[in-house]
Amino acid sequence: MNYAEKIIDRITIWAIVGVLFLLPLFFLPFTADFYDFNKWVLLLGSTLVILLLWALRTVLSRSIVLTFSSNILGFALLTISSLATLLIVSTNKIDGLTNSLGLATFSALTLLSLFGSHVFTPATKKYLRWGLFASVNIIGLLALYQFVGLGKTIAPASFLSSTRWTPTGSNLTAIVIFCITLPLLIS
């Protein structure tokens, strides 16, 4: 492996870690949908970046590197299920395609895990966990600050006046993220 391939692998690792860190926290308060649409665009955009990095590495190394795991199989099955639902059941194909739990999301997750997982070793997977834990801790601290009422006094934005505001969009999604990461944190 030459120096350019190592640099591309390092960029790929940090791009995936950065996306995993940013995804639960990312929102834009100046768009119509603060949360879901922006997270969806971030996921699709980062998947395209990872795909381009993988293609550049493939050209430089003159070999195709793909890693298949149970994670990829699970995402692929979700993608196939979403495609079948889109083709058979959905009356509005565009809405089914661009829904936050639609075909584009599961396809992006499948491609991200297929083209990005080849750079992760057991030692570098700890960066993924730490990025996820850091973002979940930030969400927890923000939820605590909002519950206490500090959000109103620190930032004058109207959406921060609610004591139930979190960057995930709702308290339920914050609780789901906490419940998902709790077994990872314990292990």
Side-chain angles (χ1 to χ4, degrees):
M1 181 181 305
N2 65 21
Y3 184 71
E5 293 172 27
K6 288 181 184 179
I7 294 292
I8 291 171
D9 286 351
R10 181 71 63 181
I11 292 170
T12 303
I13 288 170
W14 288 110
I16 294 172
V17 169
V19 166
L20 187 65
F21 172 76
L22 278 178
L23 206 55
L25 298 171
F26 190 69
F27 72 98
L28 295 174
F30 50 83
T31 58
D33 179 8
F34 286 15
Y35 307 102
D36 293 335
F37 177 75
N38 299 315
K39 291 176 192 304
W40 183 74
V41 169
L42 177 66
L43 178 66
L44 293 180
S46 61
T47 300
L48 289 175
V49 168
I50 299 301
L51 185 61
L52 289 173
L53 287 169
W54 177 82
L56 182 62
R57 186 184 189 285
T58 300
V59 167
L60 289 175
S61 68
R62 295 186 181 106
S63 65
I64 295 175
V65 178
L66 294 175
T67 306
F68 294 98
S69 68
S70 59
N71 298 336
I72 296 168
L73 179 63
F75 286 135
L77 290 174
L78 283 171
T79 303
I80 292 168
S81 171
S82 181
L83 177 64
T85 302
L86 178 72
L87 294 176
I88 297 169
V89 178
S90 181
T91 56
N92 186 348
K93 305 293 187 213
I94 300 298
D95 186 43
L97 181 66
T98 59
N99 190 353
S100 62
L101 290 177
L103 181 63
T105 302
F106 293 125
S107 298
L109 290 171
T110 303
L111 292 174
L112 187 65
S113 59
L114 180 65
F115 294 118
S117 64
H118 73 281
V119 295
F120 284 101
T121 63
T124 57
K125 287 182 182 179
K126 69 180 178 183
Y127 297 132
L128 281 173
R129 278 188 231 110
W130 280 109
L132 182 63
F133 295 152
S135 67
V136 168
N137 282 329
I138 291 170
I139 290 169
L141 286 173
L142 286 172
L144 182 64
Y145 291 152
Q146 285 300 114
F147 181 74
V148 173
L150 291 176
K152 289 186 253 185
T153 59
I154 293 174
S158 63
F159 63 90
L160 291 175
S161 63
S162 171
T163 57
R164 296 181 311 213
W165 178 84
T166 66
T168 60
S170 72
N171 285 334
L172 180 62
T173 54
I175 290 170
V176 168
I177 289 173
F178 295 148
C179 289
I180 289 172
T181 55
L182 185 62
L184 293 172
L185 184 61
I186 292 171
S187 69

